[in-house]
Structure formats: structure tokens, C-alpha cells
């Protein structure tokens, strides 16, 4: 059973555009929601994270929007750049300190 | 400051064999988790070690076992390899069992033929 559902599977965006990736979860025991960026041949790297008591968090061009009632959260990448082309994973941490990951979104930013 | 390191980077084994993968956590980190990432999928939690004990375990069979040493480094052992064990194995470390921020290593790519 997939604890965290992620969409879309792949995304193509023009340079300067906005990339939006969505995730949904069922387990209300999750209390920390990070996003990871992974380049080919590398391990995932933490990008930005949010806790459920906050509806939005922004760090540079990256913003997480969190809707606790809908059990959904999303990553917005503003002014997308070719260097942002990577696979993005959402994740959720439960109170037992175990992370669950989404299936990933392959982002391609076209120059 | 070295981040999380893993060895080897790549490995080829045949069905039925056994494999040992190694991980050194980031300096100052004492908690190590192992993940399996199949091609095109997100990482799946295998287990987590803290104070040399397995603290959490995901939905993986007993063929997957591990160990943590006094210097916090860790090993992942997989016995009786199956073709389906082919994946990228990731190690992640953090400072403390309850710390939320974890750092991943580059992974070990295992191919089972």
C-alpha cells in the first residue's frame, strides 16, 4: 500500500515557468513532510520541508503548500531553470521516525 | 566534512549469493537508515539502526539484515539474492533517532543476474 501518492510521474516545463508537483497522504500520524531532489547517479538531497502546523513555506524559488484538511501538499518551483531538471520525491515522517516516500516526479526544464 | 559515504558504488552478483554493503554516516551522526530504490521508484525503508540496535524495520524479509558498529558505521547484508533485489541501495544518516533531517549517501547499485 502506497502511503504517499505523488503526481505527475513526469513533467516538462519551459525555462522561467512554474513547476508544480503534488502529493497526498492518508496516515494522520505523519508530522513532517520533506521534499527531496535527486540527480542521476546521486542520492536524494533534502530540498525543503514543512510541518503540518504551517500552510506554506518558501525558500528561494521553492515553495511548499500544505493543506492539512485535504491531506495534500505540493512543491512549487518558480522561475524553473534547466539545472532544476531532476527527479523530485515527496516524503512523510511518522511519529515512529519512519519515512515514507512518493514514487517520484521526473522534471525536465526546456531551455 | 565528508558526507555519507557508501561502498562499493556498483556490484554484480548472481542469484543465491550473499552481499554486504557498507555505509559511513556523516560526521556527528549516530542514526543510520537503509533504503531500497528500485528503478523509477521512490526509496523504500528497510531498517534503521541506533546505538547498535535495529530500531525500526520496514516490510522486508529476514534475508535482509544489518549491523551498526561502535563508530556508527553500518552494514546491510542480503542473503539468497533474488533477481528482484536488483536496485539502488541508499544509506541515510541523522543526528539522533528523533531528528527529522536525514542525509543520503550516493548509494550502491546492485545488479543480480
Amino acid at each position: 500500500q502506497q502511503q504517499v501518492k505523488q503526481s505527475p510521474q513526469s513533467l516538462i516545463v519551459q525555462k522561467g515557468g512554474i513547476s508544480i508537483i503534488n502529493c497526498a497522504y492518508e496516515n494522520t500520524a505523519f508530522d513532517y513532510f520533506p521534499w527531496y531532489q535527486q540527480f542521476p547517479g546521486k542520492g536524494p538531497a533534502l530540498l525543503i520541508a514543512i510541518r503540518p502546523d504551517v500552510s506554506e513555506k518558501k525558500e528561494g524559488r521553492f515553495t511548499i503548500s500544505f493543506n492539512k484538511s485535504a491531506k495534500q501538499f505540493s512543491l512549487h518551483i518558480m522561475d524553473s531553470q534547466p539545472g532544476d531538471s531532476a527527479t523530485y520525491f515527496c516524503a512523510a515522517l511518522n511519529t515512529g521516525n519512519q519515512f515514507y516516500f512518493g514514487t517520484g516526479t521526473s522534471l525536465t526544464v526546456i531551455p | 566534512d565528508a558526507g555519507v559515504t557508501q561502498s562499493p558504488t556498483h556490484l554484480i552478483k548472481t542469484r543465491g549469493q550473499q552481499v554486504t554493503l557498507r555505509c559511513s554516516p556523516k560526521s556527528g551522526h549516530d542514526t543510520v537508515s537503509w533504503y531500497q530504490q528500485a528503478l523509477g521508484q521512490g526509496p523504500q525503508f528497510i531498517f534503521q539502526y541506533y546505538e547498535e540496535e535495529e530500531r525500526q524495520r520496514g516490510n522486508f524479509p529476514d534475508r535482509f539484515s544489518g549491523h551498526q558498529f561502535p563508530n556508527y558505521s553500518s552494514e546491510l547484508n542480503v542473503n539468497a539474492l533474488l533477481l528482484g533485489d536488483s536496485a539502488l541501495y541508499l544509506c541515510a544518516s541523522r543526528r539522533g533517532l528523533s531528528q527529522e533531517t536525514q542525509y543520503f549517501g550516493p548509494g550502491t547499485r546492485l545488479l543480480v543476474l
Side-chain angles (χ1 to χ4, degrees):
Chain A
Q1 181 185 1
Q2 189 69 33
Q3 296 260 4
V4 180
K5 297 182 180 180
Q6 183 173 347
S7 63
Q9 186 176 4
S10 62
L11 184 61
I12 299 174
V13 174
Q14 292 278 356
K15 179 183 175 181
I18 302 174
S19 303
I20 302 174
I21 304 170
N22 301 299
C23 284
Y25 65 97
E26 289 293 327
N27 191 340
T28 57
F30 291 141
D31 59 4
Y32 177 73
F33 301 86
W35 284 89
Y36 288 86
Q37 179 188 57
Q38 186 176 29
F39 292 103
K42 304 288 187 181
L46 179 63
L47 197 59
I48 186 173
I50 198 167
R51 290 186 176 81
D53 55 347
V54 177
S55 62
E56 184 175 284
K57 183 175 182 180
K58 183 176 181 179
E59 291 183 1
R61 296 185 293 109
F62 301 92
T63 300
I64 299 178
S65 297
F66 190 87
N67 186 329
K68 187 174 182 178
S69 60
K71 298 179 188 174
Q72 296 175 347
F73 57 111
S74 61
L75 175 69
H76 292 64
I77 305 174
M78 312 300 287
D79 187 26
S80 298
Q81 299 296 313
D84 296 332
S85 297
T87 300
Y88 292 81
F89 294 95
C90 61
L93 177 66
N94 67 9
T95 51
N97 294 311
Q98 182 170 335
F99 281 93
Y100 293 86
F101 283 78
T103 51
T105 296
S106 177
L107 172 65
T108 302
V109 181
I110 301 172
Chain B
D1 174 29
V4 180
T5 59
Q6 293 185 242
S7 64
T9 55
H10 295 82
L11 204 51
I12 300 175
K13 292 286 188 178
T14 56
R15 281 179 299 174
Q17 285 189 312
Q18 178 263 346
V19 68
T20 298
L21 310 182
R22 296 176 175 81
C23 170
S24 291
K26 185 177 170 64
S27 178
H29 288 189
D30 55 10
T31 303
V32 173
S33 299
W34 286 92
Y35 293 83
Q36 180 193 66
Q37 185 177 20
L39 200 61
Q41 298 296 316
Q44 297 286 319
F45 175 75
I46 301 175
F47 43 53
Q48 178 182 88
Y49 278 85
Y50 174 72
E51 293 185 336
E52 302 179 51
E53 290 187 11
E54 183 182 294
R55 300 292 179 149
Q56 292 272 354
R57 188 178 184 91
N59 189 25
F60 279 80
D62 292 344
R63 298 187 297 108
F64 290 78
S65 63
H67 189 76
Q68 185 178 35
F69 299 94
N71 67 352
Y72 309 122
S73 67
S74 178
E75 288 182 350
L76 164 65
N77 300 292
V78 187
N79 295 320
L81 284 167
L82 304 174
L83 296 180
D85 294 333
S86 296
L88 179 68
Y89 288 86
L90 295 162
C91 169
S93 74
R94 45 183 159 163
R95 190 191 305 267
L97 195 59
S98 59
Q99 175 60 250
E100 296 158 338
T101 303
Q102 63 177 354
Y103 296 84
F104 282 88
T108 294
R109 176 74 63 185
L110 173 65
L111 178 61
V112 182
L113 301 176

